[in-house]
Amino acid sequence: MKEIVLKKFQEVFGDTEGVKVFFAPGRVNLIGEHTDYNAGHVFPCALTIGTYGAARVRNDRKLCFYSMNFENLGVIESSIDSLKPEKEAGWTNYPKGVMWAFGERGFVIPSGMDILLNGNIPNGSGLSSSASVEVLTGSILREFFGFEVSNQDLALIGQYSENKFNGVNCGIMDQFAIAMGKKDHAIFLDTADLSYTYAPVKLRGAKLVIACSNKKRGLGDSKYNERRSECETALAELQKVIDIAGLGDLTEEQFEANKSAIKDPVRVKRARHAVYENQRTIQAVAALQADDIVRFGQLMNASHVSLRDDYEVTGVELDTLVEEAWKIEGVIGSRMTGAGFGGCTVSLVKDEAIDSFIEKVGEAYLAKIGYRADFYVVEIGDGPCTL
Ligand code: GLA
């Protein structure tokens, strides 16, 4: 891949003098969905697929971006002196947002840059291609300008840029999973205080299979912000009767004993998901550590049901993928992953069942939804690096 991006860089920008090549992974969340803005736990991992970037410093103030994933857009130009979100700037709002966010932290970017990207995360799949671009940009700036920031800072700067520059009120999970990724491990992160441990993911004759719904996300971002504010309102109602800082502070029993404080039945469901999903995540990590992969799979399935019925972020596409997966022998667990409203599912599938899983779920999906799903057998990889 390094050769491919260098070759393209040469073609687009004329030569490769002063160029360095970088990589940042995509991520998949194994369990703990919509808990990261509720002071709960998440359990994501970085993937070996991700975004490659070739970059160099310019001797003027220009920013020249090119993506091999959107070749029809050509070189998109901007300036280091006018970092503001613009609709027509398309995907470059992500790297520009990170540059802006570094500036907000007091890091002065002294010159323009040429940046070429090539990602092998399927577009819009829900495997966090945007967070991958954000962390990649942060690594590029750190390397070229010597900014003293840790990988965890890269995650926080990426999230800040997404919230404040790109207007999606996301939690910290995606950027953290990408910036802090570790091969063959998932990250058990407590989003209340960012404490974390790495848990080895030993799947004992099974693999992680991603099924991409190929549904266009559409209203996804606004629905995401809506769920977030429903949870915030529910929290404020609960805080009138119990001393908590976030929904993640509650056990199931405490929630049941206090839920009458929430004045709207829809908000009760949203909060119930956040509380129970957080507890499921804690249990799932314990199950994995005890080598009880069957229990882990059951908790994945329960997570999906809760996201479908209480949180209502699945939709017929994701439900079809998961419900068809559950029918197949050799599927240990299956659930939607990421924000929902489209995107993809993650399934734990025994090695010998993978072919029939892809065939049967694929056929049933096409028959019911009318277009194809794509399947990827993925591996857990490391965080960002310079190649
Ligand atoms: C998106 C957001 C994350 C997280 C998930 C849902 O991926 O970017 O912060 O909230 O949705 O778990």
Side-chain angles (χ1 to χ4, degrees):
M1 193 61 101
K2 187 175 177 183
E3 291 64 41
I4 296 175
V5 292
L6 282 173
K7 186 161 170 271
K8 195 71 190 181
F9 194 98
Q10 163 100 34
E11 231 175 277
V12 174
F13 295 110
D15 63 81
T16 54
E17 197 161 330
V19 173
K20 290 185 184 174
V21 180
F22 302 80
F23 171 76
R27 70 96 185 90
V28 66
N29 187 22
L30 301 180
I31 193 162
E33 216 65 81
H34 290 281
T35 48
D36 69 342
Y37 49 86
N38 284 309
H41 293 78
V42 292
F43 195 48
C45 49
L47 298 173
T48 53
I49 54 175
T51 317
Y52 293 81
R56 72 171 164 203
V57 170
R58 294 176 59 93
N59 49 24
D60 58 15
R61 313 282 298 163
K62 260 197 204 170
L63 295 168
C64 297
F65 296 106
Y66 185 91
S67 169
M68 293 173 71
N69 301 90
F70 301 102
E71 297 211 296
N72 57 318
L73 300 179
V75 175
I76 300 179
E77 286 194 17
S78 183
S79 158
I80 202 74
D81 301 311
S82 65
L83 295 173
K84 45 183 184 312
E86 289 158 327
K87 222 169 175 223
E88 53 291 354
W91 68 269
T92 69
N93 282 322
Y94 292 108
K96 278 180 11 181
V98 172
M99 292 172 176
W100 169 84
F102 267 87
E104 292 292 291
R105 280 209 170 194
F107 294 106
V108 180
I109 300 173
S111 62
M113 301 195 85
D114 293 325
I115 297 182
L116 176 141
L117 299 189
N118 187 18
N120 56 8
I121 305 170
N123 279 338
S125 60
L127 301 179
S128 286
S129 54
S130 54
S132 176
V133 170
E134 289 159 6
V135 172
L136 183 86
T137 308
S139 322
I140 291 174
L141 298 177
R142 176 171 68 183
E143 173 74 18
F144 280 107
F145 304 123
F147 296 149
E148 284 191 15
V149 285
S150 64
N151 278 18
Q152 187 164 317
D153 292 330
L154 292 186
L156 289 164
I157 292 170
Q159 181 202 17
Y160 188 77
S161 75
E162 181 115 16
N163 292 168
K164 306 285 180 202
F165 195 88
N166 280 305
V168 180
N169 227 349
C170 66
I172 188 62
M173 172 172 72
D174 302 347
Q175 291 82 3
F176 199 96
I178 288 167
M180 305 295 284
K182 183 171 171 180
K183 188 175 164 41
D184 296 330
H185 290 71
I187 308 173
F188 183 40
L189 170 67
D190 183 350
T191 64
D193 58 7
L194 296 189
S195 59
Y196 64 95
T197 51
Y198 288 108
V201 179
K202 296 197 197 94
L203 296 179
R204 313 257 181 243
K207 292 200 169 59
L208 294 172
V209 185
I210 306 290
C212 183
S213 70
N214 289 325
K215 184 193 175 190
K216 294 270 164 292
R217 266 235 235 137
L219 286 176
D221 291 348
S222 57
K223 285 275 174 209
Y224 181 91
N225 289 347
E226 179 185 296
R227 289 294 176 280
R228 187 166 179 157
S229 68
E230 287 166 342
C231 286
E232 279 159 8
T233 308
L235 173 64
E237 291 170 308
L238 283 164
Q239 281 170 329
K240 293 192 180 133
V241 295
I242 184 167
D243 183 21
I244 50 168
L247 295 175
D249 289 346
L250 291 175
T251 61
E252 293 102 325
E253 295 73 25
Q254 286 171 321
F255 174 74
E256 296 302 333
N258 291 283
K259 68 181 180 195
S260 60
I262 306 173
K263 295 300 170 216
D264 173 81
V266 171
R267 281 200 300 276
V268 174
K269 294 206 292 181
R270 307 297 190 244
R272 184 165 60 206
H273 167 77
V275 171
Y276 279 68
E277 179 75 355
N278 181 45
Q279 296 300 326
R280 264 192 295 276
T281 306
I282 297 167
Q283 291 163 23
V285 176
L288 192 67
Q289 276 158 348
D291 232 350
D292 189 349
I293 201 81
V294 172
R295 173 86 185 124
F296 189 86
Q298 288 165 348
L299 290 161
M300 287 175 78
N301 297 346
S303 165
H304 186 82
V305 170
S306 175
L307 287 156
R308 183 189 67 194
D309 299 344
D310 275 351
Y311 219 62
E312 298 180 281
V313 292
T314 57
V316 63
E317 298 82 3
L318 293 172
D319 288 338
T320 301
L321 287 173
V322 165
E323 284 155 22
E324 292 300 325
W326 287 343
K327 291 180 189 163
I328 291 168
E329 216 186 7
V331 172
I332 301 163
S334 183
R335 57 182 289 275
M336 62 148 268
T337 181
F341 316 105
C344 57
T345 68
V346 57
S347 306
L348 251 180
V349 189
K350 287 192 178 150
D351 290 340
E352 63 275 15
I354 291 177
D355 288 345
S356 74
F357 170 88
I358 293 175
E359 193 190 315
K360 288 192 185 136
V361 176
E363 274 171 14
Y365 187 79
L366 178 61
K368 182 149 181 193
I369 306 297
Y371 50 83
R372 272 176 202 292
D374 289 317
F375 296 86
Y376 307 88
V377 180
V378 293
E379 280 167 39
I380 302 177
D382 282 318
C385 62
T386 308
L387 297 173

